[in-house]
Amino acid sequence: MRRRLIALGATAVMLALAACSGGGGTTTSTDGTSETSTLTLGEVSYPASFDVNGYSIAHYVTYFQAVYDTLVRQDGGGMLVPGLATDWSYDEARTTLTLTLREGVEFTDGTAFDAEAVVANIKNFQASATPDLSNAQYITDVTATDATTVTITLSAPDPMLLTWMTGSLGYMASPASFTAEDVTTNPVGTGPYTLDTDQTVVGSKYVYTKNPDYWDDSYHVYDSLTINYYESPTALLNAIQGGQVDAATFSDVSSLTQVENAGYTVNTSQLDWMGLILFDRDGTVDPALADVRVRQALNYAIDREGILKAIQLGYGEVTSSVFGPTTAGYDEDLDSTYSYDPEKAKELLAEAGYPDGFALTMPSSSLINQSLLTTIQQELADVGITVTYEDTGANFITDLIAGKYTSTWMQLASANDWQFAQLALVPNATFNPLGTQTAETDAMLATMQTGTDDEAAAAAQELNAYVTDNAWFVPMYRLDNLFVSKPTVQVTMAADNATPYLYLIQPAS
């Protein structure tokens, strides 16, 4: 049975993206050619590499999808739909996945796309240093049963495997390109475009030309595609006001009126939640955090509505839950579990034995909105909790996952139950550095991995309620992802990624 799965779109990528540099821009042609003959996109990042080691999620997606098709796609609602694989099925134990491949497809170097090519790509992925290597962690074998059939064997069920195949694990490159000297700058796939390396300026402008032999007739392929990188919100805003891009990723909510006045539509979706993570739920370093009443007090101390309005100008949705609306475990009632109630927070602290409060040390970085951190610090101080920030410089994420702090501000994606569990809930999760583990959560996680669809969904709902009631986090709101577009472009936002997939950016006509 096919399972409705949503993947990670962005996990605190803003911290990495802010370190990029470069710039440039071009103007979409107005020489009388068809409005649908060219497409120019604006982005806030650019890929370091086009090979398997390149980071290809979030704001990097359009660069990669221009040249590489994936085995599986997702529509705007997060449903899995055919890509280079036309069908798929699991055995009863869900440890053997069989893929049926599309026939008659060729890579742009003229070699055939077939089962052997899929096997080569997956094995190349497993042997690489890709930051997404964990996507293949359960794959023990992959074989070509025949030219159009691939069998993948798993050591244990992986509820995310098909979704991983909509991203980096599913990008199909010509095996002949794996060892090419220009593999990082000259991608060879089956995609709708080829990269024009002569016109491309790495770190500034990426120019693509139409693949005349592209297999998907339902996908409008522009004659040319340009993706311009802008190193600052101001540079991107100037390009938008000058009409130099047809559509673009955008994050500066304070400038949206100017964007709309320039004739652009603001498209939104929600993927990430923003708030605090309370790592030390066992009180190993900060004993106060071991008491659920203290963790709940932290939740009651935060004015979610006020912060959303002040920091995001209302572009988002207040929540007390880390499971987003696209997850099977989402429960709308949990969004309002914790109201803004400083007196309640003080009562809980007193009951827990901290009538005079206690102190926490949290990490800081210049890449984080300082007004946000100051507001959090002040609101916690109002109930007696003293927060001291330590500047981690460029090591914010590194220090977090090394377990140097017991609590922190964070922004994490939560569009899929199992994905978020692997990210922040399982004992060895990246954002569970102190290894919190309970018998209750172990049982829920096991059912999410090995149970039927209905059993997994029920376990996810139970897990959502558990971590909300036990206040493992202090979620504040779900952020609106913003993508702006001219009236000539029809955009369908992705349910699981910070930007729309390239095939969801089409002519309005």
Side-chain angles (χ1 to χ4, degrees), residues 8-303:
L8 174 69
T11 307
V13 293
M14 41 74 66
L15 295 167
L17 301 185
C20 296
S21 63
T26 60
T27 302
T28 302
S29 173
T30 57
D31 60 2
T33 57
S34 168
E35 290 180 336
T36 61
S37 64
T38 64
L39 177 67
T40 302
L41 302 178
E43 263 302 348
V44 296
S45 63
Y46 62 88
S49 169
F50 276 100
D51 74 352
V52 68
N53 293 309
Y55 199 56
S56 55
I57 66 170
H59 299 284
Y60 305 95
V61 158
T62 49
Y63 295 94
F64 282 81
Q65 289 184 338
V67 290
Y68 297 124
D69 284 312
T70 50
L71 290 169
V72 183
R73 290 179 181 171
Q74 291 193 53
D75 65 13
M79 292 296 294
L80 299 177
V81 295
L84 288 174
T86 59
D87 200 8
W88 49 84
S89 62
Y90 277 106
D91 65 346
E92 186 174 352
R94 299 212 328 275
T95 54
T96 301
L97 174 65
T98 302
L99 300 175
T100 301
L101 305 180
R102 194 174 300 278
E103 298 184 58
V105 178
E106 290 187 349
F107 292 101
T108 53
D109 64 2
T111 60
F113 166 76
D114 56 16
E116 292 292 350
V118 174
V119 171
N121 271 275
I122 292 178
K123 289 185 175 180
N124 187 50
F125 185 95
Q126 291 179 298
S128 74
T130 171
D132 299 327
L133 189 60
S134 63
N135 294 1
Q137 64 180 310
Y138 296 109
I139 297 178
T140 58
D141 192 27
V142 52
T143 59
T145 307
D146 56 45
T148 60
T149 309
V150 174
T151 301
I152 299 174
T153 305
L154 307 176
S155 59
D158 183 356
M160 285 294 293
L161 183 59
L162 286 169
T163 301
W164 296 141
M165 290 181 178
T166 69
S168 55
L169 181 60
Y171 285 125
M172 293 291 107
S174 171
S177 71
F178 294 168
T179 56
E181 291 184 1
D182 60 353
V183 62
T184 63
T185 58
N186 187 21
V188 182
T190 65
Y193 301 92
T194 58
L195 183 66
D196 186 336
T197 55
D198 291 334
Q199 297 296 316
T200 292
V201 180
V202 175
S204 176
K205 177 177 70 173
Y206 295 77
V207 180
Y208 302 81
T209 57
K210 182 178 182 178
N211 175 3
D213 301 317
Y214 191 54
W215 56 268
D216 189 353
D217 293 336
S218 67
Y219 183 168
H220 178 87
V221 181
Y222 293 81
D223 291 336
S224 65
L225 166 69
T226 298
I227 305 177
N228 292 325
Y229 164 69
Y230 296 93
E231 63 180 351
S232 70
T234 299
L236 178 55
L237 178 61
N238 289 338
I240 289 171
Q241 290 182 307
Q244 296 173 12
V245 294
D246 297 306
T249 294
F250 201 76
S251 60
D252 182 8
V253 293
S254 65
S255 299
L256 285 178
T257 298
Q258 293 166 272
V259 170
E260 291 176 319
N261 288 341
Y264 287 76
T265 299
V266 178
N267 308 280
T268 64
S269 66
Q270 291 181 351
L271 174 65
D272 297 354
W273 62 267
M274 192 284 294
L276 302 178
I277 303 180
L278 309 179
F279 291 132
D280 197 11
R281 300 144 196 153
D282 296 324
T284 305
V285 178
D286 283 324
L289 293 180
D291 195 309
V292 65
R293 293 168 295 185
V294 169
R295 301 195 301 270
Q296 290 172 342
L298 282 157
N299 273 274
Y300 283 114
I302 296 298
D303 181 5

Side-chain angles (χ1 to χ4, degrees), residues 302-420:
I302 296 298
D303 181 5
R304 292 166 170 81
E305 290 279 4
I307 293 177
L308 176 61
K309 183 176 180 180
I311 303 299
Q312 284 295 117
L313 303 184
Y315 282 93
E317 185 176 7
V318 166
T319 186
S320 298
S321 168
V322 292
F323 283 67
T326 57
T327 66
Y330 176 68
D331 181 348
E332 185 177 3
D333 290 341
L334 294 177
D335 281 337
S336 56
T337 301
Y338 299 103
S339 58
Y340 177 46
D341 192 340
E343 293 306 314
K344 175 74 170 178
K346 292 176 183 178
E347 291 174 9
L348 287 169
L349 289 173
E351 290 174 11
Y354 298 94
D356 299 320
F358 63 99
L360 290 174
T361 299
M362 296 187 187
S364 175
S365 168
S366 61
L367 301 176
I368 304 170
N369 186 308
Q370 296 302 298
S371 294
L372 170 62
L373 295 184
T374 299
T375 301
I376 292 171
Q377 184 182 48
Q378 182 59 59
E379 292 186 352
L380 294 182
D382 288 344
V383 301
I385 301 172
T386 301
V387 173
T388 300
Y389 289 118
E390 289 185 351
D391 188 355
T392 61
N395 296 320
F396 184 84
I397 295 296
T398 303
D399 287 351
L400 286 193
I401 63 180
K404 293 184 178 181
Y405 295 94
T406 63
S407 53
T408 182
W409 168 91
M410 193 72 259
Q411 178 180 324
L412 293 180
S414 180
N416 174 272
D417 313 276
W418 185 246
Q419 168 66 21
F420 183 72

